Structure formats: C-alpha cells, structure tokens
Amino acid sequence: WGISILIIVGAVVVVKLISLFSRKVLKPFITRTPNHLDNVIYYSLESPIKFAVMLLGIWIAIHRLVYPDNFVKAIDNAYRILIVLDITWVFARLIGGLLGIYLEKDSTGQTHKMMPIIKRTALVLVWIIGIVMALSNIGVNISALLGTLGIGGIAFALAAQDTVKNAFTIFTDKPFNIGDTIRVDSFEGTVIDVGARSTKIMDYDKRIITFPNYKITDANIINISSEPKRRVVLNLGLTYDTTPEKMKEALDILKAIPERVENVSSNPSDTTAVFTNYADSALVIMYIYFIEKQGDILGVTSNMNMEILSSFNKAGLEFAFPTQTIYIQKDEIE
C-alpha cells in the first residue's frame, strides 16, 4: 500500500513537472513562432497528456495490490473507457483548434457566421464516436444498443426537424452575423451567439435575450450593421416672422452644414432641406442627412445639432415654440 501511494504521488509530481516545463519552456517558444498549428497541437495535447500520466500512475498503483476478480475487471473496464475518452479529448481539442484557424474567417476576413454551429456539430460527432468506441472496447454490443435507441432516435429526429429547419434557414438566408446589431420587430441589440435552437442577443442595457430560432425566422429583421449610411430626419420650426429671404438662407445653411461636420455624407444627393409645412406655431423645414458607416451615431448627431444651432444663431434665425396670439374686442361704453 505504501509503495502504491508513493507511485500515485510520483505521478502527481510528474504532472507538476510537465506543467512547469510546458509553461516555462514550450509555451514561450510556441507563442514566438508565426505558425498557429503548433499552438493548436500544444493546446490539444497538454491537458490530455497530464491526465494520461495520472491514469497510468493510478493503474500501476492499483494493479500492485490484490483485489477480488470482479473488482479488477471493473477497474480494467473503467480504464479502457477512460483511455479512449482521453484520446477522444485530444481529437476534440485538435479539431476545434483547426476549425478555429482555417474556418473562423471567410474570404472577406469576417468571422464565419456558421462557425459556432459547425464547431459544436463537429465536437458532438467526435464525442459520440469516442463514446461508442469506448463502449465497444469493453464488450458492449453497439448494434443492439443502436437498435434499442433507434425508435427513440426517430422520434427525436421528428421532434427536432423544425429546430434544424429554422437554424438552416438562418444560416442560408444570412440575415445577420455574430456581432451585428439587429432589430427583431421592436427589439434591438447585438447578436452574440447563434445556435441550432436559439439566438442570443445583447440589448443596450447589457442584458442577454434568448430568441427561439422559429421566432427569428418569422420576424421582421433589420440588420442595422449592414446599412451603408444612417438616415437622420429633422423637422425644424422657424418663427412666423421669418421672411422668404431668411427662409432661403436657412435652407442654404442646412445644405452646406454636412461639409463641415466629420462623418456626415457631403454628397449633395444625400442632403435634403425643404420648406414643407405651415404649422400652428412654426414654419417647418424638413432636413435629411446621412451619417457615414464609420461614424458614431450619437456623437455625429450631437455635432450636427450643435452646428445647426450655432449657424442659425449667427444668421439671426429664430426657432419657433408653441405660442398663441389672443385678440380681445372691447365694446365701446357710452
């Protein structure tokens, strides 16, 4: 028993030495190389190798002692399963890392939108194969097991067909990417994850909302991130004592402002300033301009409003506010 305990302690020491060597020697060397493949191999092997060393130490320590045959058989079966699962762990990490290198970016350099579900599907398949091989390794009749699960699998497939169809629709129609800001009906937020069953969106309050994919496919989706420019519409009201000359000056000022504000489109076709309405208390100007894609929406809007206010004040143009003029007729008293 004492020697077996020392063997287990020795295995722990070896694991610690492997961790120290990999952290002090291997990892600094690998991070300096331009090739990402060695990073994937290091990530795939480090933890499974340490787990294998511990398995080997415990196996040697246990088999030095005398146990009943049934207990020894159970231990051997457990080790056969753990060894296969450890190898499966290596393949799962390796495939996940390779997918991250070669499929994460598409031809435009953007994150591949199908990457999360491709990765999950690949890892699920790897682990299913690993578990089947582990069970087969201890003598389980896989054909009989699959036959037993066949009816349940058919029922599951029928129940999951809508889920698969909705996920497939999202990935083929390409309404959005992970990281895009979208509006689903009246809800607006940033897509952080797309799964087979649901899509997760973070709103502006940093709360995560999970939408079932069937609601996404049936909803009206506006991809805000895909817009080349953001259209802004303002209704500006001037006082009724504004002369036609001053009104024309106001329109000319508004048309010239985009050239002076950063990240606002200066294309004449993107700017509209028209005298549209005689309101109750104001002469109304509709002003339309476009914010460039790279511009901060709130910041540019604030800069435009400040420029309009400053320009109108310099020109002596007064903004209207709700007013009433009351005429009182006074009868002559004889």
Side-chain angles (χ1 to χ4, degrees):
W1 277 95
I3 293 175
S4 295
I5 292 173
L6 287 176
I7 291 173
I8 294 175
V9 172
V12 174
V13 172
V14 171
V15 168
K16 294 294 183 183
L17 290 175
I18 292 174
S19 297
L20 182 64
F21 177 75
S22 64
R23 187 173 66 253
K24 297 293 186 180
V25 179
L26 283 181
K27 194 171 183 179
F29 173 76
I30 290 172
T31 53
R32 289 196 296 267
T33 61
N35 187 5
H36 294 291
L37 183 60
D38 51 5
N39 294 331
V40 174
I41 295 174
Y42 169 79
Y43 168 77
S44 303
L45 295 178
E46 183 192 19
S47 296
I49 285 178
K50 291 189 289 187
F51 183 66
V53 170
M54 284 302 306
L55 283 179
L56 179 62
I58 295 173
W59 187 84
I60 294 174
I62 289 177
H63 276 267
R64 289 192 69 263
L65 305 174
V66 178
Y67 299 102
D69 292 341
N70 290 337
F71 182 77
V72 173
K73 183 178 179 181
I75 291 295
D76 288 345
N77 286 339
Y79 264 81
R80 290 191 184 99
I81 292 175
L82 290 174
I83 289 170
V84 174
L85 292 182
D86 192 41
I87 296 172
T88 305
W89 191 13
V90 173
F91 278 101
R93 284 178 158 234
L94 184 62
I95 290 173
L98 292 176
L99 288 175
I101 292 178
Y102 297 109
L103 288 183
E104 187 172 8
K105 303 293 184 182
D106 58 19
S107 58
T108 62
Q110 299 295 320
T111 300
H112 199 295
K113 67 189 304 181
M114 293 186 67
M115 187 62 197
I117 198 167
I118 290 174
K119 212 169 189 178
R120 290 172 189 167
T121 303
L123 293 180
V124 167
L125 290 176
V126 169
W127 279 106
I128 288 175
I129 293 172
I131 292 171
V132 169
M133 292 181 65
L135 294 176
S136 177
N137 203 32
I138 61 174
V140 175
N141 190 336
I142 300 300
S143 298
L145 179 62
L146 293 177
T148 303
L149 297 176
I151 297 176
I154 293 173
F156 177 79
L158 291 174
Q161 63 178 345
D162 286 339
T163 298
V164 175
K165 179 182 68 176
N166 292 324
F168 184 77
T169 300
I170 290 176
F171 292 126
T172 53
D173 288 351
K174 301 178 181 179
F176 50 78
N177 286 315
I178 292 177
D180 284 353
T181 299
I182 66 172
R183 183 180 298 126
V184 182
D185 291 334
S186 61
F187 178 85
E188 189 172 311
T190 302
V191 179
I192 61 173
D193 185 49
V194 181
R197 191 194 66 84
S198 63
T199 297
K200 294 181 179 178
I201 302 176
M202 179 181 290
D203 66 9
Y204 296 125
D205 294 323
K206 305 300 181 184
R207 293 174 297 192
I208 296 176
I209 311 297
T210 301
F211 282 90
N213 283 339
Y214 76 87
K215 288 190 175 181
I216 296 287
T217 55
D218 292 339
N220 296 319
I221 301 174
I222 299 176
N223 191 330
I224 297 173
S225 296
S226 65
E227 61 184 8
K229 301 174 185 178
R230 171 66 64 90
R231 181 172 178 262
V232 180
V233 180
L234 291 178
N235 287 310
L236 305 173
L238 299 181
T239 57
Y240 259 93
D241 58 1
T242 303
T243 63
E245 293 76 15
K246 281 293 185 182
M247 177 62 74
K248 185 178 183 305
E249 182 181 358
L251 298 179
D252 293 337
I253 289 173
L254 291 173
K255 291 177 182 178
I257 285 178
E259 298 179 357
R260 303 197 297 269
V261 179
E262 188 178 2
N263 293 322
V264 176
S265 174
S266 58
N267 190 334
S269 63
D270 288 340
T271 304
T272 303
V274 290
F275 177 24
T276 59
N277 189 22
Y278 292 93
D280 291 341
S281 304
L283 304 176
V284 179
I285 297 174
M286 177 182 286
Y287 182 44
I288 302 174
Y289 64 91
F290 284 83
I291 300 176
E292 301 285 358
K293 187 176 181 66
Q294 71 274 11
D296 174 64
I297 301 299
L298 295 178
V300 174
T301 302
S302 177
N303 292 339
M304 283 293 291
N305 289 338
M306 289 294 294
E307 187 66 27
I308 293 171
L309 181 62
S310 176
S311 299
F312 275 30
N313 286 342
K314 289 180 181 177
L317 296 166
E318 296 185 3
F319 290 103
F321 53 89
T323 58
Q324 287 184 336
T325 302
I326 301 175
Y327 295 92
I328 300 176
Q329 182 177 355
K330 183 178 180 182
D331 294 333
E332 185 179 352
I333 300 175
E334 294 181 356

